Amino acid sequence: MARLWQELCERASASRWSHERLLQALLEHEAVERDQRRTAARRHAARLPPGKTLSSFDAALPPGFDPVRLDALASGDGWIGHPRTAGA
């Protein structure tokens, strides 16, 4: 936000934004930047090669690997936040 606030203030003045609209724009940019920094830090910590994605993962490499399960996990498929059932 520190590098962007002046530009947004100028845009807000030229477009006659309300104070609320300017604050909303500043906070939206801050949220996006924080998310990008968090993602970059996690990628760095994971030590993955640049450009490594799930779509570039070679599912044939690990023996017994189930690519359908990976797709389900990647899509969310309701597995997060569900309590484990007895015996699972």
Side-chain angles (χ1 to χ4, degrees):
M1 184 181 336
R3 63 180 175 75
L4 200 61
W5 73 270
Q6 285 180 315
E7 178 187 329
L8 278 175
C9 285
E10 290 170 8
R11 187 183 315 168
S13 180
S15 300
R16 298 179 185 228
W17 288 356
S18 67
H19 296 323
E20 292 85 2
R21 174 64 182 108
L22 172 59
L23 182 58
Q24 177 186 5
L26 286 168
L27 292 175
E28 286 172 355
H29 284 284
E30 177 67 15
V32 168
E33 286 182 358
R34 284 184 182 198
D35 188 49
Q36 290 171 345
R37 286 192 304 267
R38 193 177 307 117
T39 299
R42 288 177 178 157
R43 283 188 179 152
H44 178 75
R47 298 182 186 175
L48 291 173
K52 187 71 171 177
T53 64
L54 283 175
S55 61
S56 67
F57 182 72
D58 185 1
L61 288 178
F65 182 77
D66 182 7
V68 173
R69 183 176 175 142
L70 177 64
D71 290 340
L73 291 172
S75 69
D77 205 27
W79 64 277
I80 295 177
H82 288 262
R84 298 187 94 180
T85 57

